[in-house]
Amino acid sequence: MLKKLIFVAFGFIVSLPYAQNDPVFCEQINALNQRIQQFHFRPKPLDDSLSKAVFDLFLERLDEKKRFFQQSDLLLFQSDEFQLDDAIVSGDCSFIVKYSTILKQRIEASKTYVASLENETFDYSGKDTLYFKAEANSKYFKDDQIFKKYWNKRIRYFILDHLVEQDTAISYLEENFKILEAEAKPKVIQNQICLLDELLHKNGDMDSFVKESFLNAFANYQDPNTFFYNDSDKSQFESSVSNHQLTFGIDTAKNKNGDIIIAYIAPGSAAFLNGNFEENDVIKSLTSPTQTLETFCVSNEDISAFTSNEKNKTIIFKIKKQNGSIQEIPLTKTELKIEQNSSTAFIVKHKKSYFAYLNIPSFYTDFDSPQGNGLAHDVANQLQIINKENVKGLIIDLRFNGGGSLKEAAELSGLFINKGPLAILKYGNGDTFTITDDFKGTLFNKPVIILIDNFSASASEFFAAAMQDYNRAIIVGSPSHGKASAQVILPLSDTGDLGFCKLTIEKFYRITGKSHQSVGIVPDIVLPSLYDGIKTNEAHSPFALSNDAITPAFKHTSYKKLPLAEIQLQSNIRVENNESFEAIKNLSSTMLSTYIDRDVSYALTLNNVYDDVHSYNNVWNKLYEVLDSATNQIKVKNTSDTKNKLNVDNIELNGSLIDDISTDIYIHEALLILSDIRKIKRR
């Protein structure tokens, strides 16, 4: 052990202490590489370029904030920088052990040092300086002295931040600082130790986290949307784009004490029907047929991963009730409709006219049946309902819609377009295929506004692009994410015991032959966004696919083009005179210059932290004040069909949705644009 520690400290490269081949991990690497080479749209060769890129991505995943590794560790790791490709070819995966071993040691050392700080008297005089630098080229710790200095300052800052966040006057904090600091110190230290423990148990254990981090680094080198998935990852992804799932019906959260509690029980779910579960029950442990997960100092994400794992169909929940009693309750998953992945129309009023609003959270589908009742089927039903309401137009909300099934996107487009090409698929071998709507007729013929933002991606962009190319809708909002690729989930083995991979297998193009890859769908009418200038789009992701163009699809017949210039002008005038949009622009600009791209330092004192925290809070409070004072609330109601189906289980959620719609300034502007279109059409 002494030799090993000396080698690490001085950066000598030795393989003996770490030379252990994990046959399962070796199989996973080999299988992932085979799947990529066989099915990926543009597989990259195993060479030194791959090795260097994967090495960098891997280290960033392991220690993104550079809080653990030291420069001596990097000297040891650098022997792999241009050798990973050779290791993969030879089937030698023993390199992974040293990363897991050293990261575990560094986190444990951090825990030990942080715990020791409880007995240390802290200096808040300003002798030390805090540095805040966005995207700084921070370096790994030079030695133990720098490592300790970092954690010492970090804990002191969090203590001051904790005191300031109590929303107390600075005079009170100054007068009672000694007492308040003594009370906060053990809480902050314990919280940080707990967070470090969460890292040690991430993905189940540190070894799994490190191995899966490498597999994902290898996958992400191909493109940002290619991933390795374990069982839980696969289940969670499929749930996000499905309208049904096997579930316990329990959503969890962490309370202020760090306990995992039951935050929500879905009506009709297994937990709901069991009757022994209540919101705010504390979950002490989860036991599946193969393992037990103790919930102390475990992240809520890991709890979700454990419960969503498709192999964990029955779990024994050990819970602590509000009266202090402990119960062990076995529960088996049942199939449940995912309410947040369903689309329900609302009726919105402007002056004497009624319009419809429809939020589409994802392009969900029925994975068990290709002909199943997914999003397009649900929207078709809603269109039939709103047609009976005699609405004059429709707002379709795709904001924060990350995509889903392209099949659903194509079928949804067909509900509004009277036959023709919708998009072009391009495969890795260069072949193309035109996706078409082969059915004559539409289900809705009145004006349509589609709201998009920076997070509208993939299938959302497919649909928005088709509607824009046919002049069938006016696109309003911010440029979309810029993901014009399609993925498929494949098992790494016949039995699935090696995990899965989500692979990019094709790109899709607009019927014009142009691509929105890394560019996004550009709205016809652009509205201010909190995310303007922030690098959220795919173009900013490492190894994003490039933008290009191909031969257009066969001719399509567009709808009559609206006088966009006039509609844009009227919208621009309203937006420029709207206090809420002006507040959003100001906040976006301030956040970008002062916080996202911040480069500031100040002495570590109570007053400086107080000023910094309150300055940040005040920026947001100004926005909330403007939004809260806005008087242009939309009149919103349910369709007659929805009213007939409301019951005690969903009436509260329905009321919350109506409140959100009625105060949304983007929906309000979309409503005014629809009204402008009606005026123009009546001329």
Side-chain angles (χ1 to χ4, degrees):
M1 176 59 77
L2 178 59
K3 286 184 178 180
K4 176 178 172 182
L5 292 175
I6 292 174
F7 289 146
V8 172
F10 290 94
F12 293 136
I13 299 166
V14 293
S15 58
L16 184 60
Y18 307 105
Q20 303 171 32
N21 245 6
D22 181 335
V24 174
F25 179 57
C26 294
E27 285 183 64
Q28 286 177 311
I29 296 176
N30 182 56
L32 179 58
N33 180 48
Q34 287 183 2
R35 292 289 188 270
I36 287 171
Q37 296 303 322
Q38 185 175 359
F39 297 109
H40 194 273
F41 178 75
R42 284 283 184 273
K44 295 175 181 175
L46 278 172
D47 56 18
D48 282 354
S49 295
L50 175 144
S51 185
K52 166 65 176 167
V54 171
F55 177 79
D56 291 340
L57 288 172
F58 179 44
L59 286 183
E60 185 176 352
R61 279 181 166 272
L62 294 185
D63 190 7
E64 182 182 4
K65 304 294 184 183
K66 294 185 172 64
R67 288 186 292 154
F68 301 113
F69 289 139
Q70 297 192 13
Q71 291 180 18
S72 57
D73 302 328
L74 267 291
L75 290 174
L76 177 63
F77 297 155
Q78 280 172 354
S79 62
D80 295 325
E81 191 171 14
F82 295 101
Q83 299 298 320
L84 292 175
D85 55 322
D86 299 322
I88 293 168
V89 170
S90 66
D92 180 7
C93 56
S94 59
F95 65 87
I96 200 70
V97 179
K98 61 177 171 285
Y99 295 92
S100 179
T101 301
I102 293 174
L103 181 56
K104 197 181 302 182
Q105 289 172 348
R106 294 304 185 192
I107 295 175
E108 290 285 7
S110 301
K111 277 180 58 183
T112 301
Y113 178 68
V114 169
S116 74
L117 293 176
E118 194 160 350
N119 299 317
E120 184 171 325
T121 301
F122 282 152
D123 182 351
Y124 300 99
S125 66
K127 183 176 68 175
D128 290 321
T129 303
L130 290 171
Y131 298 92
F132 300 89
K133 208 163 188 175
E135 297 185 359
N137 294 319
S138 55
K139 297 180 180 179
Y140 294 101
F141 298 133
K142 182 179 178 181
D143 50 37
D144 275 349
Q145 183 180 353
I146 302 298
F147 147 76
K148 290 179 178 179
K149 186 174 182 180
Y150 167 83
W151 280 102
N152 191 296
K153 278 203 293 185
R154 182 181 176 87
I155 297 300
R156 281 182 284 162
Y157 171 76
F158 281 137
I159 290 171
L160 295 180
D161 183 66
H162 175 80
L163 297 180
V164 170
E165 287 290 359
Q166 305 309 305
D167 199 23
T168 307
I170 184 65
S171 56
Y172 177 83
L173 293 176
E174 289 175 327
E175 290 170 11
N176 300 277
F177 181 75
K178 195 169 183 179
I179 296 171
L180 295 172
E181 193 267 353
E183 291 175 350
K185 186 177 182 180
K187 294 177 184 176
V188 169
I189 287 175
Q190 185 53 50
N191 177 257
Q192 288 297 306
I193 291 172
C194 205
L195 291 173
L196 291 168
D197 264 329
E198 287 182 13
L199 290 176
L200 288 172
H201 297 101
K202 197 172 178 67
N203 292 32
D205 59 72
M206 180 57 63
D207 290 341
S208 296
F209 167 67
V210 171
K211 290 169 187 174
E212 291 180 15
S213 294
F214 180 82
L215 293 168
N216 268 308
F218 184 74
N220 289 162
Y221 172 62
Q222 307 300 322
D223 76 280
N225 301 297
T226 292
F227 290 95
F228 165 81
Y229 276 174
N230 58 34
D231 292 327
S232 296
D233 296 330
K234 175 175 174 286
S235 297
Q236 289 177 319
F237 173 76
E238 289 180 343
S239 293
S240 71
V241 292
S242 174
N243 56 350
H244 286 81
Q245 72 173 129
L246 278 174
T247 178
F248 297 109
I250 291 174
D251 289 343
T252 59
K254 266 203 170 186
N255 64 15
K256 292 181 179 179
N257 297 323
D259 295 322
I260 299 293
I261 61 168
I262 295 175
Y264 175 73
I265 300 172
S269 66
F272 181 88
L273 296 174
N274 180 279
N276 291 308
F277 294 92
E278 296 176 290
E279 291 182 6
N280 293 316
D281 283 348
V282 175
I283 300 176
K284 306 299 288 183
S285 69
L286 301 168
T287 302
S288 73
T290 57
Q291 70 178 118
T292 294
L293 177 64
E294 301 289 345
T295 62
F296 179 71
C297 287
V298 172
S299 71
N300 192 51
E301 289 75 17
D302 283 337
I303 298 295
S304 297
F306 191 90
T307 55
S308 64
N309 190 324
E310 61 185 19
K311 292 181 179 178
N312 294 341
K313 292 180 180 178
T314 297
I315 286 177
I316 298 173
F317 287 75
K318 185 176 182 181
I319 61 173
K320 182 178 180 181
K321 305 295 290 182
Q322 298 298 297
N323 62 8
S325 64
I326 301 293
Q327 295 184 18
E328 293 190 356
I329 309 168
L331 195 63
T332 300
K333 292 177 180 176
T334 57
E335 189 169 278
L336 185 71
K337 183 175 182 180
I338 305 174
E339 292 298 333
Q340 60 265 36
N341 276 358
S342 60
S343 294
T344 303
F346 291 85
I347 305 301
V348 292
K349 186 180 181 181
H350 177 65
K351 294 184 177 178
K352 294 181 180 181
S353 298
Y354 289 98
F355 301 86
Y357 169 80
L358 184 68
N359 175 258
I360 297 179
S362 74
F363 283 77
Y364 56 86
T365 192
D366 188 334
F367 282 101
D368 296 326
S369 171
Q371 306 303 321
N373 297 335
L375 170 75
H377 175 273
D378 288 353
V379 172
N381 286 340
Q382 293 299 308
L383 292 178
Q384 290 174 333
I385 291 167
I386 64 175
N387 280 330
K388 295 176 184 176
E389 302 273 353
N390 194 31
V391 299
K392 306 303 181 184
L394 171 64
I395 301 167
I396 298 177
D397 197 339
L398 297 179
R399 291 175 296 169
F400 297 100
N401 183 321
S405 167
L406 290 187
K407 166 185 165 290
E408 297 291 344
E411 291 182 3
L412 182 66
S413 303
L415 301 180
F416 299 91
I417 294 169
N418 184 24
K419 197 174 182 180
L422 300 173
I424 309 166
L425 292 182
K426 183 179 180 181
Y427 306 105
N429 62 5
D431 290 346
T432 61
F433 174 78
T434 301
I435 299 174
T436 60
D437 169 32
D438 296 323
F439 301 99
K440 286 186 178 181
T442 62
L443 280 185
F444 191 82
N445 297 307
K446 294 170 184 175
V448 178
I449 299 294
I450 297 177
L451 284 172
I452 63 172
D453 65 9
N454 313 71
F455 303 96
S456 305
S458 195
S460 293
E461 295 172 292
F462 179 112
F463 173 64
M467 296 285 278
Q468 190 177 50
D469 289 337
Y470 273 89
N471 298 327
R472 185 60 191 90
I474 293 180
I475 312 300
V476 177
S478 311
S480 61
H481 188 66
K483 177 183 178 293
S485 59
Q487 289 72 39
V488 64
I489 296 179
L490 299 173
L492 295 184
S493 65
D494 293 338
T495 59
D497 58 338
L498 296 179
F500 304 83
C501 58
K502 184 168 74 121
L503 283 181
T504 297
I505 58 170
E506 57 204 14
K507 289 176 72 175
F508 59 91
Y509 297 76
R510 302 174 74 140
I511 51 177
T512 60
K514 294 180 180 179
S515 170
H516 64 264
Q517 172 61 39
S518 294
V519 175
I521 306 297
V522 179
D524 300 304
I525 297 175
V526 177
L527 299 180
S529 166
L530 284 175
Y531 303 97
D532 287 341
I534 300 175
K535 298 176 181 178
T536 59
N537 299 64
E538 181 151 324
H540 301 293
S541 300
F543 309 109
L545 297 177
S546 59
N547 181 272
D548 60 355
I550 59 175
T551 304
F554 55 84
K555 191 175 180 181
H556 68 284
T557 304
S558 294
Y559 289 74
K560 183 180 178 181
K561 198 163 188 177
L562 290 165
L564 265 178
E566 182 180 349
I567 297 170
Q568 288 167 338
L569 178 61
Q570 292 180 20
S571 177
N572 290 341
I573 291 171
R574 281 193 300 269
V575 170
E576 286 175 6
N577 291 283
N578 185 296
E579 288 186 3
S580 297
F581 280 121
E582 187 63 28
I584 285 173
K585 285 193 286 187
N586 291 337
L587 176 59
S588 174
S589 176
T590 301
M591 290 296 294
L592 194 64
S593 61
T594 309
Y595 296 101
I596 305 299
D597 294 331
R598 83 184 309 201
D599 184 357
V600 67
S601 62
Y602 55 75
L604 178 54
T605 66
L606 172 64
N607 279 277
N608 285 340
V609 173
Y610 184 92
D611 291 342
D612 189 31
V613 171
H614 276 260
S615 174
Y616 178 81
N617 291 341
N618 286 338
V619 169
W620 283 98
N621 289 336
K622 286 178 184 177
L623 173 66
Y624 296 144
E625 286 171 9
V626 173
L627 294 180
D628 290 342
S629 65
T631 56
N632 295 325
Q633 290 201 351
I634 306 167
K635 292 182 179 178
V636 186
K637 65 178 183 177
N638 294 115
T639 63
S640 299
D641 181 81
T642 301
K643 285 180 185 176
N644 294 332
K645 294 178 180 177
L646 284 176
N647 56 53
V648 292
D649 292 332
N650 55 27
I651 196 166
E652 183 178 346
L653 174 61
N654 179 72
S656 177
L657 290 172
I658 286 177
D659 287 342
D660 290 343
I661 295 168
S662 68
T663 57
D664 191 310
I665 60 173
Y666 294 92
I667 298 174
H668 186 252
E669 178 57 27
L671 188 59
L672 295 176
I673 294 170
L674 275 177
S675 183
D676 290 341
I677 295 171
R678 287 203 72 217
K679 291 176 188 175
I680 290 170
K681 286 197 165 188
R682 287 200 299 264
R683 289 175 187 168

